[in-house]
Each structure stands twice: as structure tokens, then as C-alpha cells.
Amino acid sequence: MDNRPIGIFDSGIGGTSIWSEIQELLPNEDCIYLADSKNAPYGEQSNERIIALSIKNVEHLLAQDCKMVVVACNTATTNAIEYLRDHYSIPFIGIEPAIKPAALRSQSKIVGVLATKGTLSSSLFHSTSKNHAAGITILEQQGTGLVELIEAGQLQSPELFGLLESYITPMLEQGMDHLVLGCTHYPYLIPVLRKILPKNVTIIDSGRAVAKQTKNVLEKFNLLADLNKKGKHQFYTNINKKVLAGILTPFNMESNVNFLDF
């Protein structure tokens, strides 16, 4: 047993979509979440800057005695996780677009991927596509502006709907039957996406798979928490707490949100 917390970070509030899956699957685990909203979106940053920001976040989590770190950001995973694994001794869990299950299930053999520039341009994304999508047409769409609107709490705004529609329509016209969400912010777009997508298009994100991998790694290294305790959760943001608290309202976690200048 190891009752130290799991550390989770993202370039803002999006990684809470990963946290929610982890706390559901592993209710005994404590979690500490860092929302680096001040530097969002990571997808527009250089590789060197993404690595530097990831190091900063990991150092804060290690200072709070975290036993593992979940890099709940596709861009940080594709650009920095190799460096983090080489330079720190704790386990790291990364995120990458769920291309494999989409490719296996697609009937039209056309899969859309909505992601940030930093993810779509990474070598890890292209190797994943090459290894798991033979015979599949991958339609890549950069979701410019979406993270900023989500971070601003504009989930129901006409601007958000218009942007999404402009990104999704060309992929639909090419026959897409699966849409892979390649950014941890994007699951919060699903209610809007349901209004745009026909019923035959399946939306896929990585949250549940990441939670299962987290559990597997904790078991492998004997890091699971005491099964008789209930997990505690703390959330930190380096800008206004309002949006992060709002996104956590369904989980009754608003009071656990703190400001931290990191």
C-alpha cells in the first residue's frame, strides 16, 4: 500500500476529464491536480517550451510527494513524456489520441482527429497513426481557438459552436464515421458535438483507457492506496479559480480548488 497522492497536470482545466475517470475507477486514491491555465494552450508552444513547462509542473507535484504523475495533456505527452521518463524515477502515464480503437471499429475506413497543433505535428502522433491505422484515412483537424474558449468557460457560446461546425463539416463531407478527440479539453465539447454530428458518427476519447493504465501501473509497482480509505482531491490553478471550480461542480469539488502561482 502507498497512500501518497497521484499527481495530474494539464495546460488548464481539460485534464479534469482524465481525473474524473481515474477517481471513478480508483476511488481510494488521493489526487493532486495542477491546471496550468496561465500557459494554455500548450499546443501553440515550441517543443522546448512544452518540456520546460512540464518540468515545472512535475517539480511542483514531486514537492507534494506524489507517487506517480499523469500527464493529462496530449501535447505535453507527445512532446515531453520521453524526457520526463528519462529524468525522473517515478512512473509517468501519458495521453495519446485513441486512433487504434477508432481504426479498428471504423466501417467507412475514414477517421477524423480533432487535436491541437502540438499534438498533430508530433512524431509520436505520426508513429501512432502509422502503426495502428493501416488502410485507414486519417483526417487531421487542428482545433485552433477551442482550448481558449473552454478555458474562458464559453462552452455554450455561438462562437464555440461556429468554430466546431467549421472544423467538423469538412470531415463529415469526406465520410468520417469516428471522431477522435485528441485533446483532454475536448470531452467538454461532447454536448455541442452531439448537436453537429449525425448519429452514425462515434466520438472516442482516451479517458477510460488512461484510468485503466493508471491502475495497471499502480498495481505493477505496488503503489495502490489502502482500499479502506476514501480518496481526497486537491486542485490548483494559476489563474482565476472560477472556471475550474465550475467544471468540478458536478463532483462537489468546488471547495477543493485553490489558487497557486506556479
Side-chain angles (χ1 to χ4, degrees):
M1 291 185 299
D2 190 326
N3 289 330
R4 292 179 297 162
I6 297 170
I8 306 170
F9 79 83
D10 182 32
S11 60
I13 65 172
T16 54
S17 64
I18 302 296
W19 164 82
S20 68
E21 296 283 2
I22 291 173
Q23 63 88 28
E24 183 177 334
L25 186 64
L26 297 163
N28 311 105
E29 298 291 340
D30 295 354
C31 294
I32 296 175
Y33 182 92
L34 292 184
D36 189 16
S37 295
K38 184 167 63 177
N39 295 295
Y42 282 9
E44 301 299 320
Q45 310 274 7
S46 67
N47 174 260
E48 293 77 14
R49 177 67 173 156
I50 294 165
I51 291 173
L53 290 169
S54 298
I55 292 169
K56 167 185 69 76
N57 297 334
V58 169
E59 291 290 343
H60 277 287
L61 292 170
L62 290 179
Q64 298 190 61
D65 200 28
C66 290
K67 61 187 176 184
M68 81 166 357
V69 171
V70 178
V71 183
C73 173
N74 293 79
T75 300
T77 295
T78 53
N79 288 271
I81 200 163
E82 185 176 335
Y83 178 94
L84 297 175
R85 285 172 171 158
D86 286 345
H87 288 79
Y88 295 96
S89 59
I90 62 167
F92 285 89
I93 304 295
I95 316 289
E96 61 182 64
I99 293 172
K100 183 179 180 179
L104 289 172
R105 300 171 193 170
S106 176
Q107 297 297 311
S108 68
K109 304 301 180 185
I110 300 173
V111 170
V113 179
L114 185 65
T116 65
K117 177 182 176 182
T119 294
L120 293 175
S121 62
S122 70
S123 58
L124 179 56
F125 173 80
H126 288 288
S127 65
T128 300
S129 298
K130 183 179 179 181
N131 292 337
H132 298 304
I136 301 291
T137 299
I138 302 294
L139 305 176
E140 301 176 15
Q141 175 59 57
Q142 186 175 319
T144 305
L146 294 176
V147 168
E148 290 90 336
L149 288 169
I150 296 167
E151 287 289 322
Q154 300 296 312
L155 290 172
Q156 302 298 324
S157 69
E159 184 181 357
L160 179 70
F161 187 93
L163 265 184
L164 269 180
E165 194 170 40
S166 71
Y167 296 152
I168 297 302
T169 300
M171 293 192 283
L172 290 174
E173 290 172 346
Q174 294 178 72
M176 169 186 74
D177 69 350
H178 281 69
L179 176 64
V180 177
L181 303 182
C183 172
T184 54
H185 281 74
Y186 293 173
Y188 291 112
L189 301 174
I190 289 176
V192 182
L193 285 168
R194 296 282 187 212
K195 298 176 182 178
I196 299 171
L197 294 169
K199 291 183 179 180
N200 69 302
V201 176
T202 302
I203 300 171
I204 296 183
D205 73 85
S206 305
R208 180 45 58 108
V210 172
K212 289 179 179 178
Q213 179 64 6
T214 300
K215 182 180 181 181
N216 291 341
V217 172
L218 290 174
E219 290 174 340
K220 177 181 178 181
F221 292 103
N222 297 313
L223 293 174
L224 284 169
D226 184 348
L227 296 178
N228 295 313
K229 64 178 278 295
K230 182 179 180 181
K232 298 177 182 178
H233 306 275
Q234 290 295 320
F235 304 85
Y236 297 93
T237 178
N238 50 19
I239 61 170
N240 192 307
K241 300 190 298 182
K242 184 177 179 181
V243 176
L244 179 56
I247 214 84
L248 293 168
T249 298
F251 304 97
N252 296 314
M253 291 286 171
E254 311 98 295
S255 63
N256 296 31
V257 178
N258 307 278
F259 174 81
L260 179 67
D261 188 15
F262 67 93

